[in-house]
Amino acid sequence: RDCPRISGRRNQICQAVFGGGRQRVNHRGLPAAEALVSAVMEVKSDPEAMRVLHLNSGNLYGGVESILVTLARMRDLYPSMKPCYALCHEGRLSRELAAAGVPVYQLGNVRLSRPWTVWRGRFRLRQLLRRERFDMVICHMPWSLAVFGKAVRDVGAKLGFWAHAFHTGRNWLERLARRTKPDLAIGNSRFTEA
């Protein structure tokens, strides 16, 4: 269905993220980028200083990473939301985010098959969250939630999960991610939210 009419800067962000014409909407009828802004605004009482840390592995480049780069490049369209990024791998995503001029924090190469790298990545994230103030930490996809959800909770930060695909909860990674309940969940479509 078509994106509902929204005005000003929020509409420009939605158009930048999803292009013209038909856009994916959440259960409230809002595009996913608009839903992110609205959801964080509900959690945050002071809209002027809203900082969002996006967590992603950074070793792949696809639709999720395209959205992250678009949010970084178009951040001037919504100046009260300050996106920051924490990644586990250097690559195309980290280069494009750095070129866009946003803060990119490296948590080290994290692999679930090597538990010591997970512990080190969680330690670095806890240090970052204690050193910097973020109003919301958004984990993109189950991997990020499984690896970093508990570390975000340990520090007492608000935790969000952005589902970019349909998850059944049956595979081992999704079962690990379910152990940590987010304060906020964003689905990029009604199908994803189901």
Side-chain angles (χ1 to χ4, degrees), residues 3 8 15 64 71 101 123 157 161 167 176:
C3 178
Q15 293 298 323
V64 175
L71 288 172
F123 176 76
F161 172 67
H167 304 289
L176 276 177

Side-chain angles (χ1 to χ4, degrees), residues 129-155:
L129 294 176
R130 288 183 181 119
R131 188 175 65 244
E132 304 272 338
R133 182 194 54 78
F134 296 101
D135 301 307
M136 175 71 67
V137 179
I138 305 284
C139 293
H140 292 266
M141 301 298 285
W143 185 90
S144 298
L145 186 59
V147 172
F148 295 114
K150 185 175 180 337
V152 173
R153 283 276 184 238
D154 290 347
V155 177

Side-chain angles (χ1 to χ4, degrees), residues 13 25 33 46 81-82 90 110 119 126 157 174 176 178 193:
I13 291 173
V25 296
D46 178 15
M81 184 171 77
K82 309 292 184 208
E90 301 254 357
V110 174
W119 300 328
R126 283 188 201 100
E174 292 172 9
L176 276 177
R178 278 195 328 216
E193 289 177 354

Side-chain angles (χ1 to χ4, degrees), residues 109-192:
N109 292 334
V110 174
R111 296 183 61 136
L112 285 171
S113 62
R114 294 175 176 85
W116 60 92
T117 65
V118 174
W119 300 328
R120 187 173 47 230
R122 287 176 180 165
F123 176 76
R124 288 177 179 158
L125 177 61
R126 283 188 201 100
Q127 284 182 319
L128 172 64
L129 294 176
R130 288 183 181 119
R131 188 175 65 244
E132 304 272 338
R133 182 194 54 78
F134 296 101
D135 301 307
M136 175 71 67
V137 179
I138 305 284
C139 293
H140 292 266
M141 301 298 285
W143 185 90
S144 298
L145 186 59
V147 172
F148 295 114
K150 185 175 180 337
V152 173
R153 283 276 184 238
D154 290 347
V155 177
K158 297 285 185 183
L159 176 64
F161 172 67
W162 190 331
H164 296 269
F166 181 71
H167 304 289
T168 62
R170 292 189 183 125
N171 76 36
W172 66 272
L173 189 56
E174 292 172 9
R175 287 196 307 269
L176 276 177
R178 278 195 328 216
R179 293 181 179 179
T180 306
K181 300 285 186 214
D183 298 306
L184 166 74
I186 299 171
N188 64 350
S189 70
R190 290 178 190 242
F191 178 74
T192 302

